């Protein structure tokens, strides 16, 4: 039997100690009281963040054809160190935090203080993942990353052939490969197994045939993982490059993928994305208890909602996404933002995926809401047709 309780004016409540003891729940926990379809739901207010995605910068040394930066109006700017210092002040309030991922929609190594950022996070005993395009990963930088104890480095390589890579990224693949070899040399010289190398590959119609060569290259580079993602089509050009669709279809002709997912599990893993819209929807950001901190300190629940931009949805509709910010680290500690009513309720809605499935709706062709990230019911902004939740688009 549920105890009789009353919530305060903010909708929070504290349950009686006898009730908590019977259910082995620690006393003193506050809850947000919510309702869904006639049922009352108690959401515990706990600072249980496990992973932080930190965007050090929106600046980049490349202009890739596949990038969100082609369709947004955001400034190119570095995270101010004063903002990062405020972020660091919050770390001790997050007892479950285990990893910080330095990445985002810019190149982290362009930030003039990125090594200092990594050093401070490591001093707090947290694991660090760094995402990079690899072009600034010279011998000196590699040695510093090894010394600092970065345990995972994910390098984006969207083409195995020099002409493919240059066509997508406008740079030389040979420079990236040389830098990765420098990293491996630094690990050897410093007798370190870390950072473990991951390769991220955005698969397109024009480069899918290179997947088989990619696995061989990854093996030579001593990569522990290759993460393959579909492209989020921000432009008409990228829309013509997508391999996935609403209906199931082979990504590479009748034979399917040009490489099997278990082809080289002896030394690492190859993670292939989903290739069509399906009933199962799962947010990795929410399931991993993660939050995203933008370059300006704005806190968002995921990458998909961390900037404003437009893209083409799975059914071809042009969609405008508005950034969803639940707080700013310059004004509040991360624990306060994480435990706020809106953020707690949003995560609950996402776990249950209490959103419409817009691509399945018979009214989608006449629905104006298809043009933005809102739904006809449920929480807004809506995750109704999120391609990350479909595992079509993927992140480290």
């Amino acid at each position: 039997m549920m105890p009789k309780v009353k919530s305060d004016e903010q909708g929070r409540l504290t349950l009686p100690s006898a009730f908590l003891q019977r259910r082995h729940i620690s006393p003193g926990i506050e809850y947000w009281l919510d309702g869904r379809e006639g049922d009352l739901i108690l959401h515990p207010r706990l600072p249980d963040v496990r992973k932080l995605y930190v965007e050090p910068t929106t600046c980049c040394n490349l202009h890739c054809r596949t990038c969100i930066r082609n369709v947004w109006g955001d400034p190119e700017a570095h995270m101010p160190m004063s903002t990062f210092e405020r972020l660091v002040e919050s770390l001790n309030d997050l007892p479950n935090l285990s990893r910080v991922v330095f990445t985002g929609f810019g190149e982290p190594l362009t930030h003039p203080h990125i090594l200092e950022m990594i050093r401070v996070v490591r001093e707090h005993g947290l694991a660090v993942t760094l995402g990079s395009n690899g072009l600034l990963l010279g011998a000196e930088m590699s040695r510093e990353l090894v010394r600092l104890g970065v345990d995972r480095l994910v390098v984006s390589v969207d083409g195995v052939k020099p002409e493919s890579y240059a066509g997508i990224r406008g740079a030389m693949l040979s420079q990236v490969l040389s830098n990765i070899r420098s990293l491996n040399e630094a690990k050897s010289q410093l007798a370190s197994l870390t950072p473990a190398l991951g390769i991220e590959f955005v698969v397109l119609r024009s480069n899918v045939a290179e997947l088989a060569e990619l696995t061989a290259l990854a093996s030579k580079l001593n990569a522990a993982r290759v993460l393959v993602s579909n492209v989020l089509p921000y432009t008409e050009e990228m829309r013509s490059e997508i391999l996935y669709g609403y209906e199931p279809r082979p990504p590479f002709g009748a034979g399917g993928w040009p490489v099997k997912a278990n082809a080289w599990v002896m030394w690492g893993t190859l993670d292939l994305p989903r290739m069509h819209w399906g009933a199962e929807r799962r947010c990795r950001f929410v399931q991993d208890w993660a939050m995203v901190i933008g370059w300006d300190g704005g806190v968002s629940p995921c990458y998909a909602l961390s900037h404003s931009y437009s893209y083409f949805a799975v059914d071809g509709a042009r969609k405008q996404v508005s950034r969803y910010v639940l707080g700013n680290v310059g004004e509040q500690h991360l624990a306060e933002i994480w435990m706020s009513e809106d953020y707690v309720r949003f995560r609950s809605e996402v776990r249950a995926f209490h959103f419409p499935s817009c691509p399945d709706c018979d009214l989608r062709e006449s629905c104006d809401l298809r043009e933005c990230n809102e739904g006809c019911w449920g929480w807004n902004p809506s995750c109704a047709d999120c391609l990350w939740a479909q595992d079509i688009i993927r992140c480290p």
Side-chain angles (χ1 to χ4, degrees), residues 227-296:
L227 176 71
V228 180
S229 173
N230 282 291
V231 65
L232 190 66
Y234 303 112
T235 64
E236 287 280 3
E237 179 192 13
M238 286 300 103
R239 186 183 176 194
S240 67
E241 287 271 21
I242 64 173
L243 292 162
Y244 61 89
Y246 182 69
E247 298 290 341
R249 61 183 180 183
F252 190 66
W257 288 104
V259 62
K260 294 181 179 179
N262 61 353
W264 36 278
V265 294
M266 290 180 62
W267 62 266
T269 58
L270 171 64
D271 294 336
L272 296 173
R274 191 178 188 172
M275 299 305 296
H276 64 89
W277 186 265
E280 181 184 359
R281 296 182 287 179
R282 174 179 176 271
C283 177
R284 291 177 180 265
F285 292 93
V286 169
Q287 295 294 339
D288 288 348
W289 306 87
M291 64 196 312
V292 177
I293 299 119
W295 69 274
D296 58 356

Side-chain angles (χ1 to χ4, degrees), residues 124-145:
H124 279 74
L126 301 171
V128 169
T129 297
L130 176 68
S132 175
N133 58 41
L135 286 165
L136 300 178
L137 191 68
E140 182 178 351
M141 177 64 73
S142 293
R143 292 183 68 85
E144 287 302 311
L145 295 180

Side-chain angles (χ1 to χ4, degrees), residues 195-216:
L197 176 65
I199 301 294
E200 186 174 11
F201 187 88
V202 177
V203 66
L204 310 168
R205 286 191 180 278
S206 56
N207 70 6
V208 64
E210 298 175 32
L211 266 180
E213 298 174 69
L214 176 67
T215 58

Side-chain angles (χ1 to χ4, degrees), residues 101-345:
V101 183
F102 286 103
T103 184
F105 295 104
E107 169 52 50
L109 295 184
T110 64
H111 196 292
H113 303 293
I114 185 62
L115 293 177
E116 174 68 8
M117 290 176 163
I118 294 171
R119 182 188 65 78
V120 171
V121 168
R122 290 291 297 130
E123 287 178 349
H124 279 74
L126 301 171
V128 169
T129 297
L130 176 68
S132 175
N133 58 41
L135 286 165
L136 300 178
L137 191 68
E140 182 178 351
M141 177 64 73
S142 293
R143 292 183 68 85
E144 287 302 311
L145 295 180
V146 175
R147 285 196 188 100
L148 288 171
V150 173
D151 70 325
R152 296 178 188 171
L153 174 67
V154 182
V155 178
S156 298
V157 180
D158 296 337
V160 178
K161 298 178 180 178
E163 58 271 22
S164 298
Y165 182 89
I168 296 169
R169 294 190 163 252
M172 295 177 61
L173 177 62
S174 59
Q175 183 62 56
V176 177
L177 300 183
S178 175
N179 287 347
I180 292 176
R181 294 186 185 102
S182 293
L183 172 70
N184 287 332
E185 289 174 7
K187 289 164 62 176
S188 177
Q189 292 169 1
L190 297 173
S192 175
L193 296 176
T194 57
L197 176 65
I199 301 294
E200 186 174 11
F201 187 88
V202 177
V203 66
L204 310 168
R205 286 191 180 278
S206 56
N207 70 6
V208 64
E210 298 175 32
L211 266 180
E213 298 174 69
L214 176 67
T215 58
L217 175 63
S219 181
K220 292 179 181 178
L221 296 173
N222 297 319
R225 183 188 185 199
V226 172
L227 176 71
V228 180
S229 173
N230 282 291
V231 65
L232 190 66
Y234 303 112
T235 64
E236 287 280 3
E237 179 192 13
M238 286 300 103
R239 186 183 176 194
S240 67
E241 287 271 21
I242 64 173
L243 292 162
Y244 61 89
Y246 182 69
E247 298 290 341
R249 61 183 180 183
F252 190 66
W257 288 104
V259 62
K260 294 181 179 179
N262 61 353
W264 36 278
V265 294
M266 290 180 62
W267 62 266
T269 58
L270 171 64
D271 294 336
L272 296 173
R274 191 178 188 172
M275 299 305 296
H276 64 89
W277 186 265
E280 181 184 359
R281 296 182 287 179
R282 174 179 176 271
C283 177
R284 291 177 180 265
F285 292 93
V286 169
Q287 295 294 339
D288 288 348
W289 306 87
M291 64 196 312
V292 177
I293 299 119
W295 69 274
D296 58 356
V299 175
S300 299
C302 60
Y303 274 154
L305 297 174
S306 64
H307 288 276
S308 296
Y309 57 93
S310 62
Y311 77 100
F312 291 95
V314 70
D315 61 357
R318 169 66 92 171
K319 194 175 192 69
Q320 179 64 45
V321 174
S322 297
R323 186 185 187 190
Y324 186 35
V325 175
L326 290 143
N328 192 291
V329 72
E331 301 166 0
Q332 295 174 277
H333 277 205
L334 290 175
E336 296 174 22
I337 299 171
W338 178 260
M339 295 189 297
S340 66
E341 181 178 10
D342 279 356
Y343 206 161
V344 170
R345 290 182 60 199

Side-chain angles (χ1 to χ4, degrees), residues 1-12:
M1 180 181 296
M2 284 291 293
K4 294 180 179 179
V5 295
K6 291 183 179 180
S7 63
D8 62 18
E9 294 179 355
Q10 285 75 43
R12 298 177 298 187

Side-chain angles (χ1 to χ4, degrees), residues 38-50:
D39 293 328
L40 290 179
I41 304 172
L42 298 179
H43 302 299
R45 300 181 69 249
L46 296 171
D48 48 3
V49 185
R50 298 177 187 172

